[in-house]
């Protein structure tokens, strides 16, 4: 009887085999530490050194136009109120004019171009009179000081005149000035003025320094860099270019895809790389509205603009550049779990530990080679076993 009971309690190998054939095995994996490379798309763009200003050969009374002085070297910034270059002995002076000159200016003239000149001379500290658009003694003196400050010979003085008036009116005005009267508001009022002839009882014309249009290079405020300039002694023909200037901020424009746009918002830190230069970290200046694909084959997305640092401006206009979010390509070591071990419910992503089946909620980061990066605080540790499949599910 006892033998019968004991025999009933002993399992034969055959019975174990039958039981194992219907059981669901528990498959597990181990929490590890792995390296993950920071993602984030890069964008290919083009370098722009700014908008271009072409300085043409100026009109000259000399037989030939010859470069007699080069005052600003290539890659250097121009200086307002100073010469850029001298051709056949006459300078080309850089001024920031709201209205570019369209005629030679001389004493007695008036107009918006004169007002623009007065503003430019005032900004340089040469003019302190009324900005009234009238080329009178104060303006003529300021122009003369502009030349003198740069050790340049000013243009020959010309008589004051009344533009549009009869010759007799011009003579009457000149005579009135000599006698100490003021024909116009703000004009010469005293025989002690340096432009007035002191000879009493005569009608000697009063002269002032003019400003020839050919001696001015209009460069909008904000500065300009010399891209190229004619060499000393170079003989210039009519179609030649004296200099090419770049205005505006050097920058890179690149197209980023929709999926990567978040990493390129204005103010975002990015790295700019151009051929032959070390990458430099800058910030995105602006991002455009969405743009579709175009004839250049660019993907639909957003155009970003980032400033080009000084050390990268030596590249050629239109050179290739790559813009990447800062941190792109960096390697981080983090906890990792196999993607197949991840589960999801209303609370988010989680894994189950082997043994007690404890549920551990996880925050995911990057993915690589079938593993997911675990971010933030977690109770998981390297070596923990987690369930992939089996009864623990």
């Amino acid at each position: 009887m006892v033998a019968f009971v004991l025999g009933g309690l002993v399992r034969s190998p055959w019975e174990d085999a039958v039981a194992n054939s219907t059981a669901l095995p528990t498959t597990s994996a181990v929490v590890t530490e792995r390296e993950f490379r920071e993602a984030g798309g890069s964008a290919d763009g083009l370098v722009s050194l700014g908008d271009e200003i072409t300085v043409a050969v100026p009109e000259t009374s000399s037989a030939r136009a010859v470069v007699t002085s080069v005052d600003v070297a290539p890659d250097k910034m121009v200086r307002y109120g100073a010469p850029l270059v001298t051709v056949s002995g006459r300078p080309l002076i850089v001024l920031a004019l709201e209205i570019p000159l369209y005629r030679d200016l001389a004493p007695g003239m008036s107009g918006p171009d004169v007002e623009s000149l007065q503003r430019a001379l005032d900004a340089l500290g040469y003019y302190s009179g009324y900005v009234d658009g009238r080329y009178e003694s104060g303006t003529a003196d300021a122009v003369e000081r502009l030349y003198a400050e740069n050790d340049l010979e000013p243009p020959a003085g010309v008589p004051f005149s009344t533009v549009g008036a009869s010759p007799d009116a011009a003579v009457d005005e000149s005579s009135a000035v000599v006698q100490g009267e003021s024909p116009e508001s703000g004009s010469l009022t005293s025989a002690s003025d340096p432009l007035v002839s002191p000879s009493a009882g005569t009608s000697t014309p009063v002269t002032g320094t003019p400003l020839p249009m050919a001696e001015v290079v209009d460069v909008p405020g904000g500065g300009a860099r010399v891209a190229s300039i004619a060499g000393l002694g170079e003989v210039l023909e009519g179609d030649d270019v004296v200099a090419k200037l770049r205005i505006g901020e050097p920058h890179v424009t690149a197209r980023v895809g929709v999926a990567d746009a978040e990493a390129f918002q204005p103010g975002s830190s990015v790295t700019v790389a151009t051929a032959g230069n070390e990458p430099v970290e800058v910030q995105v200046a602006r991002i455009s509205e969405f743009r579709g694909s175009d004839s250049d084959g660019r993907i639909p997305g957003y155009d970003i603009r980032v400033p080009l640092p000084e050390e990268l401006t030596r590249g050629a206009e239109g050179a290739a550049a790559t813009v990447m979010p800062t941190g792109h390509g960096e390697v981080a070591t983090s906890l990792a779990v196999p993607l197949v071990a991840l589960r999801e419910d209303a609370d988010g992503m989680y894994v189950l530990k082997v043994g007690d089946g404890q549920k551990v909620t996880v925050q995911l980061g990057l993915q690589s080679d079938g593993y997911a990066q675990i971010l933030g605080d977690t109770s998981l540790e390297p070596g923990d076993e987690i369930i992939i499949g089996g009864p623990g599910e």
Side-chain angles (χ1 to χ4, degrees):
M1 182 69 176
V2 174
F4 175 79
V5 172
L6 291 176
L9 295 177
V10 176
R11 292 172 60 90
S12 72
W14 300 110
E15 289 175 308
D16 288 339
V18 170
N20 288 339
S21 69
T22 59
L24 295 176
T26 298
T27 306
S28 64
V30 177
V31 177
T32 63
E33 287 188 324
R34 295 178 66 89
E35 291 184 343
F36 292 88
R37 189 173 296 277
E38 295 287 344
S42 62
D44 294 328
L46 298 176
V47 171
S48 173
L49 300 180
D51 298 325
E52 186 177 270
I53 294 178
T54 299
V55 181
V57 177
E59 294 183 3
T60 176
S61 58
S62 302
R64 293 195 300 178
V66 180
V67 177
T68 51
S69 175
V70 177
D71 300 284
V72 185
D75 287 331
K76 298 298 183 181
M77 300 296 292
V78 302
R79 185 165 65 88
Y80 290 98
L84 170 67
V85 66
T86 303
V87 177
S88 299
R90 298 309 305 165
L92 276 71
I93 300 175
V94 177
L95 292 176
L97 299 170
E98 297 174 358
I99 299 177
L101 297 188
Y102 51 86
R103 58 178 175 169
D104 295 336
L105 295 182
M109 291 182 169
S110 62
D113 50 349
V114 177
E115 181 178 338
S116 177
L117 172 63
Q118 289 172 328
R119 293 186 188 280
L121 294 172
D122 177 71
L124 292 169
Y126 296 125
Y127 182 71
S128 58
Y130 291 110
V131 179
D132 56 7
R134 300 160 70 92
Y135 201 122
E136 297 173 345
S137 63
T139 306
D141 286 347
V143 171
E144 186 164 357
R145 284 194 290 272
L146 172 67
Y147 279 82
E149 185 69 20
N150 291 287
D151 295 324
L152 301 171
E153 183 69 26
V158 298
F160 279 81
S161 63
T162 302
V163 177
S166 65
D168 291 340
V171 172
D172 290 343
E173 177 185 318
S174 181
S175 299
V177 171
V178 171
Q179 296 170 18
E181 300 174 7
S182 175
E184 295 182 289
S185 171
S187 63
L188 302 175
T189 59
S190 157
S192 63
D193 191 295
L195 297 181
V196 178
S197 168
S199 302
T202 68
S203 59
T204 302
V206 180
T207 63
T209 303
L211 183 63
M213 181 175 65
E215 296 188 8
V216 173
V217 178
D218 178 33
V219 177
R225 183 183 301 275
V226 176
S228 64
I229 195 164
L232 182 66
E234 186 172 340
V235 178
L236 303 172
E237 303 295 338
D239 294 334
D240 289 341
V241 173
V242 176
K244 290 184 179 180
L245 311 179
R246 294 284 183 185
I247 62 173
E249 181 184 64
H251 61 275
V252 171
T253 301
R255 175 71 59 86
V256 300
V258 176
D260 299 318
E262 188 63 31
F264 293 94
Q265 293 301 306
S268 298
S269 180
V270 295
T271 300
V272 179
T274 56
N277 295 297
E278 290 294 324
V280 177
E281 186 174 325
V282 294
Q283 290 186 330
V284 176
R286 62 174 181 258
I287 186 169
S288 72
E289 298 294 326
F290 176 79
R291 304 184 189 280
S293 57
D294 54 31
S295 57
D296 294 331
R298 292 187 294 179
I299 62 172
Y302 304 85
D303 289 335
I304 61 168
R305 177 166 171 158
V306 298
L308 196 63
E310 174 74 20
E311 53 266 41
L312 300 187
T313 58
R314 300 181 186 88
E317 173 77 11
T322 301
V323 184
M324 300 166 287
T326 299
H328 176 88
E330 293 183 356
V331 175
T333 301
S334 306
L335 286 179
V337 298
L339 292 172
V340 294
L342 294 171
R343 293 163 165 78
E344 185 175 17
D345 60 14
D347 296 327
M349 304 298 294
Y350 67 95
V351 295
L352 296 174
K353 285 188 174 182
V354 170
D356 58 5
Q358 179 188 352
K359 174 183 173 182
V360 181
T361 302
V362 292
Q363 179 184 351
L364 303 182
L366 303 173
Q367 298 179 15
S368 175
D369 297 329
Y371 281 79
Q373 181 186 30
I374 304 301
L375 303 177
D377 294 333
T378 178
S379 62
L380 294 176
E381 295 181 355
D384 285 348
E385 288 189 271
I386 54 176
I387 297 173
I388 294 178
E393 291 188 280

